[in-house]
Structures are given as structure tokens and as C-alpha cells.
Amino acid sequence: MNLDKTYQANLYEKDIYELWIKNNAFRADPHSNKPHYSIAMPPPNETGTLHVGHALFLTLQDILIRYHKLKGYDTLWVPGTDHAALSTNTVIEKKLAEQGINKHQIGREKFIKITKEFVGNSRNTIIKQIKAMGSATDWSRLRYTLDDGLSRVVSEVFVKMYNDGLIYRGNRIVNWDPKLETNVSDDEVIYKPEKIKLYTFKFGPFEISTTRPETKFGDKYVVVNPKDKRYAKYKHLQTFEAEWLNGKVLATVIKDASVDPNFGTGAMTITPWHSLVDFELANKYSLDMEQIIGFDGKLLSIAKEFEGLDILKARPKIVKKLKDKGLLISVQDNYEHNIATNFRGGGIIEPQIRLQWFIDVNKKAINWKGQNNSFKEILQRVIREGDIKIIPKKFEKIYFNWIDNLKDWCLSRQIWWGHQLPVWYKDDKIYVGITPPKDEGGWKRDQDTLDTWFSSSLWTWSTLLDPKLLVDYKLTLDDIIAQSIDLKTYHPTNLLETGFDIIFFWVARMILATTYVVKEVPFREVFLHGLVKTEGGKKMSKSDPDTIIDPLSIIEEFGADALRLSLIQGLAPGQDAKVAKTKIITNRNFCNKLWNISRFIEDKLDFDRKPEIKSFADAWIIGNLNETLNNFQKALDNYQFSEAYQIVYHFLRDQFADWYVEVSKEEKNYPLLSYVYKQLLILTHPLAPFITEVLWQKSMKGKSQDLLVNQSYQKIIDYNKTNRHNFDTIIKIITEIRHIQKELNLSALSICSKSSLITRNSRVVERLAQVKLNNTASDNNQVKLTINGVSIGLFLAKDLVSNYLNKLKAKQQKQIQLINTLNKRLLNKSYLNNAPAHIVNETKQKLLSERVALKMTQDDIRLFSDF
RNA sequence: GGGUGAUUAGCUCAGUUGGCUAGAGCGUCUCGUUUACACCGAGAGGGUCGGGGGUUCGAGUCCCUCAUCACCCACCA
């Protein structure tokens, strides 16, 4: 087959992926009688490009899918993309703004049309990039959160929840982003520390502090702590007159324990319309609420002469007015304050009261396994009762902590891109349904769209519904669920694999929605990975381009396999993954090693004859292969990706390449060599699918029509344990001879030995240890030493010996120490009584063998000394 | 303020119910081109597992405590 000297990934990867697709290698078959294994891919944002975070989850999930295929499963990995409402909307608005266009100028319909065009072009990019990673996804089942079928499901679920009383409409404080003119969920708000001025004003007999004078126009309540002695003379609900921004106001004293008497003056005024805490206080005491700031971020008419001003511009002017009135007491600079911003788009959040749609998480109206529960309770039960296992376990604590503080989920967003609410209004009537009531008409649809995560929360099962059934509106959602074969076969999915950063956004909400609609959990296990960081543990940031690992350019330069291996090397569950260029080079080299093993083997491949064990080395490599396969599977069964790779790495380099391949230059057992090579490709395939398939295709030419991707683990070959052990001894002898040569700086050493272990494997020993075996020379000028019970004579000069003698003495010291330790342990009665029998046995064995080893060392020392 | 992690070789990190003399990759040093591979081979050096205490026959691993560093949640006039 004539392979190049090095593996050039970019020459092969695209063709190999095509080959897989052409052969439907990733196509799931629900009618197969194999066991089924399924994963729903976290759908990337359709307008995104592949970043290293995507690369990580694609790698992990692909490994598991391919691994299960090899284990004989029918696998399904459902790919998809997300319409990512808010971030896409932001992108489009930004693009329009660049052309000087405001979305209101073009209207909703045109805006959606523009967005669709943009998204349509973009979606293919991310799909191509997913393929470049080698992802074994079933493209015939590609889904999109905003396609017609899924959109129908989203509406159906909303209607169902509404009819069950789990969705309600209410006035609430929301996180309003005046820039994008939408509210965002609590989870989408991020706080940035900022130093601003803290003003203290006179308010009647009180002094109150504020960072936001511009919200104070409507203030007419002073809240103090009931235990605060300074204010004991004022009664709860007592009124007083105060000079304020727009003249005199009649203010009321409120006493509430939520006020911290140690903060500032211990007295504060409240602005219920623009603060959650104040809103809750106002609700508690039925206080008036008044809007001060408009949804465009500008002051309303209550601000009189400041009406229409942007709040930040108005602030100093308002302070000046209060100062002129003699109401300003003090200004504190550099007051540390957290400013709330929208993490998509970055607008500064202004709390506002608005009518919004919410999911009630506390209403007990759901039947889960025979009990009447609230969403909150079900979310707790599924973990507690073991229906879903979270790996690593530490995230269960975080999960419970979040659920304990769970608030109603605000579903409505005021952006245009997304699933429009299936809610209709006429006069003051509200109707919730997919289509408006069929009466005289005149119903108007709610303009809001749903939170992106609402559709995402249906992902595991909505993607498995039969698209043909979804267009049949005579069927109910329950009918479709009952009749969809994929859903019946692949749901609950076996695993959800995703980043820990979206455990609340997504994982919890999938559990919420799925248990409610489908009456089963969305997945059995959740495996959470961390973020991908630089080697220094820093976030990759655009401001520091050197640290950025761009998966696409890495794939181009080093290949997807090298990238995949780098991502799992050293990865610990739930911990951040660290990647750097050096790591990628190491793993590219690993691929090249495999490549060159193939170059050596290519003309020796023999699959016609039955592989048989003949030599010690044969038994040894088969024993190691079996063990490796076993350990590899155990590691992957426990999501120990890093461990699995290390096992393969060790076998491929330290055992197969360094020893067996070298040995096979002397002892030619090509059928067995071919067998092990074949197993090696199967073993490595889930981790590095491209190169292994390339080599499989080249090696199997004419011998097999099959693709590597379609193989399964084969029956292992039995071997003789003593023979395997014998080769271990040979390795130790060769290593020791190499060591002596290095230590004594020798180049052409001759040895002699009568041991059959040596004489029967003389050519192997000669080649690998770089020595000459000479059993005819006289015993003079020999240094005898014993390695693992085998007596070896070395022909070497006297004056070289002392170096090695020191080595031996150091070795002797270590051995004595160890023997003492083991002795002490075995003399300890508590140890003998408490430690498990096999551990005690091991210690005894160890002591025995160590004593033998010590004796050999001492013999060598004596011989060398005598010499 | 509440929570969760991390601290192991010069660097980056593994180490899964406590049990062989604590591992890997990179880097360092020495030697080497032998019928695949310099994207290579052979060998070496390097760690009192952050400090202190405790439980245990036995602790990198469990508990307490301190220190340092991350991250998440909440959010204050």
C-alpha cells in the first residue's frame, strides 16, 4: 500500500467521513434486535462556529457512541441545531444597526425573513464543522429547535401546561434590557462590580442613601428596621410630610425586618417598580407602585422637567436639583456596587414590572410515579430516587442547592426571533391554543416569544417524534408520542453529556418538561464536563489570541484525531479541560506512531492463516492485549476518558511498538502480528476514528468489505500465563543489560548464559539488548550477575565495574528498606486481623520475592567486588 | 453573605468504594541513526502529595482546621 513517511491527516479525513456516510454507518435502526444506546447532542447555536467547547463534547459523545457500536449496540446520536433566540436576535439587530436600521422600521415579518436567510446560510457551517470532528451522528435525524415539527411540540406543551394550571400570567418584576427591549431570565443576568457615587439625602426627618437618585421621583415610603432604636418614636404606617423632588409629599413609615440597621442610616425609601426587593415589600404591605423609567430607558412624565432624558444623563442634574433644595447631605465616592447586565448583548438591566408568562414550580398538579407533585418536588425526586444519576456526584449538591432556591420560570421574551406564544387576546379575553378560536375572529396573537430554553427543555424526546406524524393535526401530542417508534426505542436516552455550566439552564429544565409530558426521565445518566481552558487554567479569550485553540485550524494542521486525543488526555470528570499546542503535537506524534507501525507491518499482513501463539512474546502480547481491552472497557464504562486513552497509549507504544514489533523482526509470526494489529485498530478507533479507519481501509484491501466503524469486539485468544511471564523476565533482563551498558558507557558488549530463556531467545536478546551472545568463550574475564533468577555472564573490563557496583549498593539499600517495611507490617497483629486477606497475601508474596531479589543483588555485589 | 472545587515532579495534569516502592505527557541531562517512525529509539535525574491536627493496622485518598487560588449562586438602599 506504500504509505507516506508521516501521517497527513488532512489528506484523508474528509474522504473517510464521506465513506462512513455513504455506508450509512451512523444510521440507527430501531427495528434492530441489538440493544439500543442513544444520546441527544446538545444542539449548538446555528449561527455559531465550532469552538473548542463544542470540540470537547463532540469528542466525548462520539467516543461513547463508537464504543457502544463496537460493543454491539444499535446506537443513535441525534444531531441538531438551536435557534438560540436571544443571541441570534442580538446578532441580527446589530447587523441592522450597522446599516442604520431599527427593527421597528422594517417590522416583525421582514425581520424574521432576514433572520431566516442569515441563519439558513450559517447553519451549514456548523454542521460541516461537526462532521469535521468525526462525529458519528445520524444525519437522517437532524433536528432544529425551530423547525415545523418542533415548533408544534413547543406550542402543544405550552397549551398543555396552561390547561393544567402550571402556566400563569402575572405582573412581576423582570430583568428588562432597554437596549434589546426584552426581559431576560435571572440566569441570563450577570453582575459586574463598578465604583459609583452613593448619595445621602434628607427625606423629611430621615436621611436616606441611594446610588440611583433618578428613580426617586415617586418615593413616599421610608422603611426602617422595627428593632432600630433610633426610629423607635415612629410607628409603623405613621405619616409625615417631606420636601422632595417635585415638592411636598405625604410619606409613610414602614417597619420591616428586612432592612439592615447597620447599613448607612438604617433608613431607606423604596421604588417598587424598579427593584425586586422593593417590589416584594410593596406587595407585602399593599403599597402603591409607580413607573419612573420607561421601557426605552428614559424618564417618564413623573420626572417633570427631566422627562425623556436618559437616566445616566439625568442623574447629575437630579442631584443638583436636590442639592439646590438643600436636601443633599453627603456624597461618597467609589462606592462598590454591582451593576446588572444582559450577558447576551450587554445592555444594563433595569428592573421593570411587566405582565409576563410564568411556569409555576410549586403547584402540585403533576402526577409522577403515582404521587401528586410540583415541578420542584419532581426535580428533587428523580435524583434522590436514582432515576437519574449525575456524574460526577458533586454536581448533585449544586443541583439540589439550586432547586431549593428555585423560583417560577419566566417564559416570555419580547424579542421576535423564536417561538411565538400560542396565546390570543380579544378585548379582555385570553385564549391559549395553537390556533385562535373559530368564532367571528378578531383575536390577536401575543407578540412575545418563548425563552429559548423552553424549546431546549423538550430536546431529548421532541427530536424522536416522527416528523410525519407531527404534520397530522388530527393527532394529539399524546397520540404522536405513543406512535413514534424512535421515541419508544431510544427514550429515555442513555446519557446526557454536557458542560456543567448549563446544568440549570438545560439539564434541570429537561427533567422538568420531560417528566411532565412524557412521564419518564429524559436520560438515565448525566455526565458533566468542565470548561476548556489554557494550560495555565485561564479562560481562552479573544484579547489573548495566543491562548486560543481554534479547533478548525488545529484539525487542518494536525488532524481531528490529534485534537480529540488532546481534549481527553488528562481530563477529569467535572474538572476543566486544559489544552495547549504542545499537547496537540504530542498526540499528533502518537497518531504518527500508529501510522509507522502500519508502515512496518504493511507487507507482512497475513489474515489468511489462523493466528496461533508460538513464542513467549506471542503469549505476552496476547496477554497484554486481553488485559488492555478489559481495562479500556472498564475505564470507558465509568467515563474515565483520560484513563482509557492512557491504557491504549501504553499498550500501543510501550508494549506493541517497543517490544512486540521489535521482536517480530526476529521471530516472524505474521498471522498473530496481523491479529494484534487488527485488534489495536479496533481498540484505538473510538478515540482516533479517522486514522484507524484509514489504516483499516488500507490493510484490509481485498480482504474485507467492512468498515472499521462497523466492527465489534472479537473473542479473545487464550494464552499460557507462564510463557507470558517468561517474556516479562526477558524484558527485565534486556532492560537491565541496557542499563548496565549505559551506566558503564559500553558499546559492544558480549554476554554468556546457559539459561534456556536466553539461549532459546538468543536473537531477540541480541537485537534488543544490542549484545553478542558468546557461550564458547572461557569463563575468565566474565562478570556473573543474576537478573530475575537468570545467571548472565558479562565480558567486561575490570576498571569499569566500580560504577555499577555503587548502583547495586544503592539498590540493595532500597530493597532492605522495603523488606523492613513489609516485615514490620506482617508482624503487626492489628494489620493481620483487620486487613483483607488478599492484601495480606500480597504483602507476604511481596516480602518473599523481595527477599529473593535482595539475595540476588547481594550475590551480584559479591561477584563484582571479587572481580 | 451562601455554595462548590483546586493545591501531587521544573511546567500541565491523572490518581474511582483508603491497600504493592505515588504516575503520565512536556521539559531537562546522557547516549544512539539497528531493514516502520527524529512527528524516532535507549537510559537517567526529579516529588517529606499546600501547612497543622485527627480517624485507621494502613491516608495523596476520609474528618477537622488554617492558608492560598479559582468558579458558581444571591445581591443591598
Side-chain angles (χ1 to χ4, degrees):
Chain A
M1 50 188 164
N2 264 332
L3 301 177
D4 294 334
K5 212 167 171 185
T6 53
Y7 173 56
Q8 300 296 335
N10 57 6
L11 297 181
Y12 301 97
E13 291 187 349
K14 280 203 182 75
D15 292 344
I16 287 294
Y17 199 86
E18 297 263 301
L19 184 69
W20 288 330
I21 295 297
K22 213 172 68 199
N23 284 276
N24 289 326
F26 310 141
R27 187 74 71 88
D29 176 13
H31 304 291
S32 157
N33 52 13
K34 293 174 177 177
H36 305 285
Y37 181 85
S38 59
I39 298 177
M41 175 193 290
N45 182 342
E46 59 183 341
T47 60
T49 50
L50 191 78
H51 57 66
V52 74
H54 295 128
L56 176 61
F57 82 64
L58 290 171
T59 299
L60 298 181
Q61 291 169 34
D62 189 59
I63 289 172
L64 292 169
I65 288 289
R66 289 175 188 270
Y67 170 58
H68 281 89
K69 268 176 80 71
L70 287 172
K71 283 218 291 191
Y73 283 77
D74 161 55
T75 60
L76 171 58
W77 189 13
V78 179
T81 55
D82 193 290
H83 69 288
L86 189 52
S87 69
T88 305
N89 207 91
T90 311
V91 170
I92 300 298
E93 283 200 39
K94 215 183 255 171
K95 277 187 175 299
L96 289 174
E98 279 164 15
Q99 303 167 41
I101 302 170
N102 177 287
K103 67 174 174 181
H104 296 291
Q105 289 170 273
I106 57 170
R108 183 171 191 136
E109 224 168 289
K110 184 107 187 273
F111 182 88
I112 302 267
K113 200 177 153 232
I114 292 171
T115 309
K116 272 190 180 158
E117 276 166 21
F118 171 73
V119 153
N121 295 333
S122 176
R123 194 178 310 144
N124 287 330
T125 310
I126 189 84
I127 287 172
K128 235 185 268 167
Q129 293 167 343
I130 291 171
K131 291 178 177 174
M133 286 298 298
S135 311
T137 47
D138 187 343
W139 293 105
S140 71
R141 288 175 166 83
L142 176 65
R143 291 294 184 274
Y144 169 44
T145 50
L146 208 56
D147 67 25
D148 291 343
L150 264 51
S151 296
R152 176 184 175 185
V153 179
V154 166
S155 294
E156 298 263 11
V157 173
F158 186 95
V159 173
K160 182 177 162 76
M161 284 185 175
Y162 178 80
N163 290 339
D164 283 348
L166 293 163
I167 284 182
Y168 66 93
R169 190 179 191 219
N171 261 315
R172 286 298 160 92
I173 286 267
V174 296
N175 304 299
W176 183 258
D177 177 352
K179 199 167 146 197
L180 287 176
E181 297 188 298
T182 180
N183 77 331
V184 294
S185 71
D186 293 342
D187 303 301
E188 285 162 335
V189 175
I190 51 166
Y191 294 88
K192 288 182 194 153
E194 197 186 59
K195 284 189 175 153
I196 56 171
K197 290 188 165 94
L198 177 70
Y199 305 94
T200 303
F201 298 110
K202 190 168 154 49
F203 189 74
F206 296 91
E207 290 179 5
I208 55 119
S209 297
T210 183
T211 53
R212 305 198 55 195
E214 70 275 12
T215 65
K216 294 291 168 191
F217 288 97
D219 285 13
K220 52 183 181 180
Y221 302 101
V222 165
V223 192
V224 297
N225 192 299
K227 286 186 183 147
D228 195 329
K229 291 206 178 83
R230 288 172 292 181
Y231 306 115
K233 61 179 170 180
Y234 300 98
K235 300 264 175 307
H236 181 58
L237 298 181
Q238 183 178 337
T239 55
F240 62 94
E241 275 209 337
E243 177 62 29
W244 197 231
L245 275 160
N246 293 334
K248 282 207 172 0
V249 292
L250 183 67
T252 308
V253 176
I254 302 291
K255 295 207 166 185
D256 191 89
S258 67
V259 176
D260 177 5
N262 297 319
F263 184 90
T265 60
M268 66 175 194
T269 60
I270 57 169
T271 312
W273 199 285
H274 298 294
S275 155
L276 176 62
V277 178
D278 296 1
F279 176 79
E280 282 170 356
L281 270 172
N283 268 335
K284 191 168 169 186
Y285 299 106
S286 303
L287 310 178
D288 296 339
M289 307 182 193
E290 217 170 339
Q291 187 173 8
I292 315 294
I293 301 164
F295 297 113
D296 54 1
K298 296 194 164 79
L299 286 163
L300 297 173
S301 62
I302 190 173
K304 296 267 164 86
E305 69 266 36
F306 304 110
E307 183 184 351
L309 268 184
D310 189 90
I311 50 170
L312 289 179
K313 287 190 187 121
R315 186 178 295 168
K317 294 179 179 160
I318 292 164
V319 171
K320 183 166 182 300
K321 181 175 181 182
L322 286 163
K323 190 180 174 189
D324 292 346
K325 285 184 152 214
L327 296 174
L328 178 64
I329 293 166
S330 65
V331 183
Q332 182 195 332
D333 283 326
N334 292 326
Y335 175 72
E336 186 108 358
H337 178 84
N338 277 332
I339 185 160
T341 59
N342 177 0
F343 96 128
R344 301 257 185 232
I348 293 173
I349 297 300
E350 183 67 62
Q352 294 272 14
I353 296 177
R354 285 193 70 112
L355 261 179
Q356 301 290 328
W357 290 90
F358 293 87
I359 286 186
D360 187 335
V361 296
N362 289 305
K363 185 163 180 176
K364 295 192 187 226
I366 310 152
N367 186 308
W368 175 248
K369 295 206 289 187
Q371 284 180 39
N372 189 35
N373 282 139
S374 66
F375 280 127
K376 203 166 174 172
E377 289 165 332
I378 296 171
L379 283 172
Q380 289 163 329
R381 279 184 63 196
V382 291
I383 306 295
R384 206 158 275 148
E385 293 169 11
D387 296 306
I388 297 175
K389 196 173 148 202
I390 300 182
I391 302 153
K393 214 174 158 60
K394 69 173 181 186
F395 287 112
E396 289 189 1
K397 283 188 208 163
I398 296 171
Y399 175 90
F400 283 124
N401 194 282
W402 182 76
I403 291 181
D404 289 343
N405 300 309
L406 191 60
K407 284 189 280 188
D408 287 355
W409 176 10
C410 180
L411 291 178
S412 36
R413 297 290 183 275
Q414 288 69 47
I415 53 177
W416 288 345
W417 182 242
H419 300 100
Q420 198 169 353
L421 267 60
V423 177
W424 311 82
Y425 306 100
K426 186 175 169 184
D427 305 325
D428 46 2
K429 283 178 286 185
I430 296 177
Y431 175 78
V432 175
I434 293 186
T435 48
K438 289 188 189 81
D439 54 9
E440 71 283 3
W443 291 88
K444 284 183 94 178
R445 189 164 189 178
D446 195 313
Q447 290 299 296
D448 286 359
T449 49
L450 284 162
D451 180 6
T452 303
W453 296 101
F454 187 79
S455 60
S456 310
S457 75
L458 316 174
W459 188 247
T460 59
W461 59 271
S462 62
T463 51
L464 295 176
L465 297 175
D466 189 333
K468 284 193 227 73
L469 300 177
L470 275 169
V471 293
D472 183 350
Y473 280 83
K474 287 194 293 291
L475 297 172
T476 66
L477 180 59
D478 285 338
D479 293 338
I480 298 169
I481 288 173
Q483 292 173 31
S484 291
I485 293 158
D486 277 2
L487 184 72
K488 220 179 286 174
T489 311
Y490 298 107
H491 204 268
T493 56
N494 294 74
L495 177 75
L496 178 78
E497 198 290 320
T498 191
F500 69 67
D501 50 331
I502 53 173
I503 182 169
F504 310 133
F505 279 121
W506 196 39
V507 179
R509 283 159 178 179
M510 274 197 281
I511 299 174
L512 181 152
T514 308
T515 50
Y516 167 68
V517 184
V518 192
K519 303 287 169 212
E520 60 188 28
V521 293
F523 29 70
R524 297 281 179 217
E525 293 187 312
V526 180
F527 179 83
L528 296 166
H529 62 254
L531 304 171
V532 182
K533 298 229 175 127
T534 67
E535 273 207 319
K538 287 193 194 125
K539 270 190 184 167
M540 293 181 188
S541 74
K542 282 175 189 155
S543 58
D544 195 359
D546 288 349
T547 62
I548 295 185
I549 298 287
D550 168 29
L552 297 167
S553 57
I554 295 290
I555 289 172
E556 186 55 33
E557 190 179 353
F558 300 100
D561 291 331
L563 175 60
R564 293 165 60 113
L565 294 170
S566 302
L567 285 164
I568 60 165
Q569 188 180 39
L571 181 79
Q575 295 296 105
D576 292 340
K578 315 270 165 63
V579 204
K581 202 85 168 259
T582 52
K583 213 169 173 179
I584 289 165
I585 291 171
T586 302
N587 292 305
R588 187 269 322 259
N589 293 352
F590 173 81
C591 292
N592 196 55
K593 188 75 185 174
L594 178 58
W595 182 258
N596 272 293
I597 288 172
S598 304
R599 285 184 70 214
F600 173 77
I601 293 180
E602 60 180 323
D603 56 350
K604 302 171 183 69
L605 286 172
D606 184 348
F607 294 110
D608 299 331
R609 286 183 288 161
K610 195 175 165 237
E612 277 172 17
I613 293 176
K614 291 179 176 157
S615 66
F616 293 160
D618 292 344
W620 179 83
I621 197 66
I622 291 297
N624 286 334
L625 174 67
N626 295 350
E627 208 172 279
T628 299
L629 264 166
N630 224 320
N631 292 338
F632 177 77
Q633 299 197 9
K634 220 191 289 169
L636 276 192
D637 287 339
N638 290 300
Y639 304 111
Q640 306 286 331
F641 295 95
S642 173
E643 176 74 8
Y645 177 34
Q646 223 172 84
I647 288 163
V648 171
Y649 189 98
H650 176 65
F651 177 76
L652 188 148
R653 271 185 170 264
D654 304 341
Q655 296 178 341
F656 189 60
D658 288 355
W659 292 100
Y660 193 72
V661 168
E662 289 304 319
V663 166
S664 72
K665 289 173 183 172
E666 292 297 341
E667 295 174 354
K668 298 175 172 49
N669 185 352
Y670 293 153
L672 194 78
L673 179 69
S674 306
Y675 167 83
V676 177
Y677 171 67
K678 192 171 163 184
Q679 299 311 308
L680 179 68
L681 292 181
I682 293 174
L683 177 73
T684 317
H685 180 255
L687 309 182
F690 284 111
I691 185 173
T692 47
E693 183 74 76
V694 171
L695 293 174
W696 183 275
Q697 293 305 317
K698 290 183 184 293
S699 314
M700 302 301 157
K701 207 154 218 166
K703 309 232 185 322
S704 160
Q705 302 295 333
D706 277 344
L707 304 171
L708 173 54
V709 69
N710 289 330
Q711 299 302 307
S712 38
Y713 291 120
Q714 300 186 351
K715 227 184 115 213
I716 57 173
I717 298 179
D718 277 333
Y719 65 95
N720 180 307
K721 281 194 176 123
T722 309
N723 291 347
R724 178 188 179 186
H725 178 75
N726 281 340
F727 192 73
D728 268 323
T729 305
I730 292 174
I731 287 177
K732 278 185 186 143
I733 291 167
I734 291 170
T735 307
E736 186 66 14
I737 295 172
R738 283 172 179 169
H739 172 72
I740 292 169
Q741 282 175 292
K742 285 280 171 196
E743 205 60 45
L744 305 186
N745 203 10
L746 301 169
S747 50
L749 182 67
S750 287
I751 64 165
C752 66
S753 177
K754 302 255 158 51
S755 161
S756 64
L757 215 51
I758 303 293
T759 52
R760 281 177 51 191
N761 297 280
S762 59
R763 283 171 52 203
V764 168
V765 173
E766 282 184 336
R767 171 184 275 275
L768 295 185
Q770 286 294 296
V771 291
K772 278 266 163 286
L773 185 65
N774 186 347
N775 275 343
T776 53
S778 75
D779 279 2
N780 300 333
N781 297 331
Q782 273 185 41
V783 178
K784 279 223 171 60
L785 84 161
T786 323
I787 302 166
N788 277 68
V790 176
S791 172
I792 313 269
L794 307 173
F795 297 93
L796 42 76
K798 203 178 192 175
D799 53 338
L800 290 174
V801 166
S802 63
N803 268 338
Y804 189 64
L805 195 57
N806 291 336
K807 265 264 131 42
L808 284 176
K809 282 181 176 162
K811 186 174 165 191
Q812 176 187 233
Q813 207 47 44
K814 266 194 176 165
Q815 286 171 327
I816 291 172
Q817 250 171 31
L818 179 59
I819 286 170
N820 285 341
T821 309
L822 295 174
N823 247 330
K824 231 188 252 169
R825 197 176 295 167
L826 286 169
L827 288 170
N828 185 338
K829 270 191 193 134
S830 311
Y831 173 71
L832 295 175
N833 292 336
N834 291 316
H838 72 275
I839 297 288
V840 176
N841 263 334
E842 268 175 38
T843 311
K844 283 181 181 163
Q845 286 303 317
K846 189 77 210 160
L847 180 61
L848 283 180
S849 64
E850 209 53 38
R851 279 194 172 134
V852 173
L854 176 64
K855 189 170 174 302
M856 292 172 188
T857 310
Q858 286 169 338
D859 287 348
D860 286 350
I861 288 174
R862 205 169 43 245
L863 285 165
F864 269 68
S865 310
D866 293 348
F867 186 63

